[in-house]
C-alpha cells in the first residue's frame, strides 16, 4: 500500500482528504500537529508523500517541512495553503516543498498532484545512461544523486528532475513551459511561478554565488539555460 502522511489540524478537512485517498488506493497516515507528523514519519519510514497544512497548533507546516528536508531529500512534500496567501506558496517551495495545493481543493486535483509525486519518488524504469557529467557536476541517474567537485548536494525529487533536464540539454534555452511540462507532466495543471521558485532554490544549492549565477542562467523573457 502506498502511504501518504496527512498533516491537517481541522478534523473535517483531514477526514475528507483521508476518505478520498483511500478511494484512490492510498494508505493515509494521519497527524493533527507538527510533532505528531514527525513522529509518524519516524514510525513509518516508507511514507513517500507528505501533505502538510501550513497553520498548525504547535509548529507550523513550514518548520515541519524544514525538519523533514534536513534528513530526507527523497520524500515528496505538498503544502496545503490558503488561497489568499500567495507568500505561503513561495515560502513552502523555498523551505523544500515540491508542490502546493490551495484550499478549497477538489479530490481529483489533490489525487493528481499526489500521483505525480509518487511517480517521481520511485518506480520508474532506470535510464540506460547512469551518469551525466558537466564539470564540476556529476549526476548519477540510477541512485539519483548530484555531486559538485566530488561533494554530494542534497536535492529534492523536483530539483533532481530539473537538474537532469538541464544537464541533458547543455547550452539549450528552455522556456518555463518546457521545464514545467518535462518535470511536472503535460497533464499537470499548475502555476509557472513554481518553476521560478525551484530555480531560485536550485541556484542557492548549485551556484558559487546565487546572485550571479553561472550554471543556471536566465534567458530574459523566455526561461533558463544550463550555462555550459
Amino acid at each position: 500500500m502506498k502511504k501518504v502522511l496527512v498533516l491537517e489540524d481541522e478534523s473535517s478537512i483531514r477526514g475528507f482528504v483521508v476518505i478520498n485517498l483511500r478511494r484512490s488506493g492510498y494508505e493515509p497516515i494521519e497527524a493533527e500537529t507538527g510533532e505528531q507528523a514527525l513522529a509518524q514519519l519516524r514510525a513509518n519510514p516508507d511514507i513517500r508523500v507528505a501533505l502538510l497544512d501550513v497553520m498548525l497548533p504547535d509548529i507550523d507546516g513550514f518548520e515541519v517541512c524544514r525538519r523533514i528536508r534536513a534528513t530526507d531529500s527523497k520524500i515528496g512534500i505538498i503544502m496545503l495553503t490558503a488561497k489568499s496567501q500567495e507568500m505561503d506558496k513561495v515560502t513552502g517551495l523555498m523551505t523544500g516543498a515540491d508542490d502546493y495545493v490551495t484550499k478549497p481543493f477538489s479530490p481529483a486535483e489533490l489525487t493528481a498532484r499526489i500521483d505525480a509525486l509518487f511517480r517521481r519518488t520511485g518506480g520508474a524504469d532506470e535510464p540506460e545512461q547512469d551518469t551525466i557529467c558537466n564539470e564540476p557536476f556529476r549526476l548519477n541517474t540510477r541512485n539519483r544523486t548530484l555531486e559538485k567537485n566530488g561533494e554530494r548536494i542534497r536535492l529534492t525529487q523536483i530539483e533532481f528532475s530539473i537538474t537532469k533536464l538541464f544537464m541533458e540539454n547543455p547550452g539549450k534555452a528552455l522556456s518555463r513551459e518546457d521545464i514545467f511540462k518535462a518535470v511536472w507532466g503535460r497533464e499537470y495543471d499548475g502555476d509557472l511561478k513554481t518553476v521560478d521558485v525551484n530555480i531560485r532554490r536550485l541556484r542557492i544549492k548549485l551556484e558559487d554565488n546565487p546572485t550571479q549565477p553561472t550554471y543556471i542562467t536566465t534567458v530574459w523573457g523566455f526561461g533558463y539555460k544550463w550555462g555550459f
Side-chain angles (χ1 to χ4, degrees):
M1 186 70 75
K2 299 179 291 185
K3 291 184 180 180
V4 178
L5 174 68
V6 181
L7 171 56
E8 169 61 64
D9 66 319
E10 292 189 35
S11 59
S12 59
I13 297 177
R14 191 173 67 252
F16 168 76
V17 171
V18 165
I19 289 171
N20 284 282
L21 286 177
R22 286 180 178 148
R23 287 175 179 170
S24 300
Y26 291 102
E27 179 184 347
I29 307 296
E30 299 182 54
E32 60 181 342
T33 69
E35 294 294 349
Q36 284 182 13
L38 295 170
Q40 289 284 32
L41 285 164
R42 290 191 293 269
N44 297 271
D46 53 342
I47 290 174
R48 291 201 359 231
V49 171
L51 305 179
L52 308 181
D53 187 29
V54 172
M55 299 301 295
L56 297 168
D58 53 351
I59 55 177
D60 65 29
F62 301 135
E63 180 60 24
V64 175
C65 183
R66 290 188 191 96
R67 294 189 190 183
I68 293 173
R69 281 290 178 241
T71 59
D72 190 341
S73 62
K74 302 298 184 183
I75 188 173
I77 298 177
I78 300 176
M79 304 299 297
L80 304 178
T81 67
K83 191 171 185 178
S84 61
Q85 298 299 318
E86 184 70 23
M87 278 307 299
D88 280 358
K89 303 172 185 178
V90 176
T91 302
L93 292 170
M94 288 303 293
T95 54
D98 298 293
D99 199 1
Y100 59 84
V101 174
T102 55
K103 301 177 184 179
F105 48 81
S106 71
E109 177 191 10
L110 182 61
T111 302
R113 302 291 177 98
I114 293 171
D115 288 345
L117 266 185
F118 258 91
R119 286 194 297 271
R120 284 195 293 272
T121 56
D125 293 336
E126 296 292 349
E128 292 182 5
Q129 184 181 9
D130 287 344
T131 304
I132 304 174
C133 294
N134 286 150
E135 293 299 333
F137 296 99
R138 185 180 185 88
L139 184 140
N140 188 303
T141 58
R142 183 172 295 278
N143 59 25
R144 300 180 71 81
T145 58
L146 178 71
E147 293 180 354
K148 178 182 180 182
N149 293 318
E151 294 187 7
R152 181 74 57 86
I153 298 174
R154 293 175 63 88
L155 299 178
T156 67
Q157 295 299 317
I158 292 292
E159 292 166 350
F160 178 88
S161 297
I162 295 174
T163 303
K164 180 173 179 287
L165 177 66
F166 278 135
M167 292 182 68
E168 288 176 334
N169 295 276
K172 179 180 179 180
L174 300 171
S175 70
R176 289 173 175 83
E177 291 82 359
D178 291 336
I179 298 169
F180 193 85
K181 289 176 181 177
V183 174
W184 281 267
R186 292 184 176 277
E187 74 286 353
Y188 193 75
D189 182 22
D191 191 336
L192 289 180
K193 291 179 182 176
T194 306
V195 173
D196 296 325
V197 176
N198 276 279
I199 294 295
R200 191 189 319 167
R201 204 167 68 188
L202 261 179
R203 281 172 168 166
I204 292 172
K205 294 184 177 184
L206 303 188
E207 299 286 352
D208 299 324
N209 182 355
T211 62
Q212 296 181 331
T214 57
Y215 303 119
I216 303 176
T217 55
T218 299
V219 181
W220 295 108
F222 184 74
Y224 301 95
K225 181 178 68 172
W226 187 250
F228 282 86

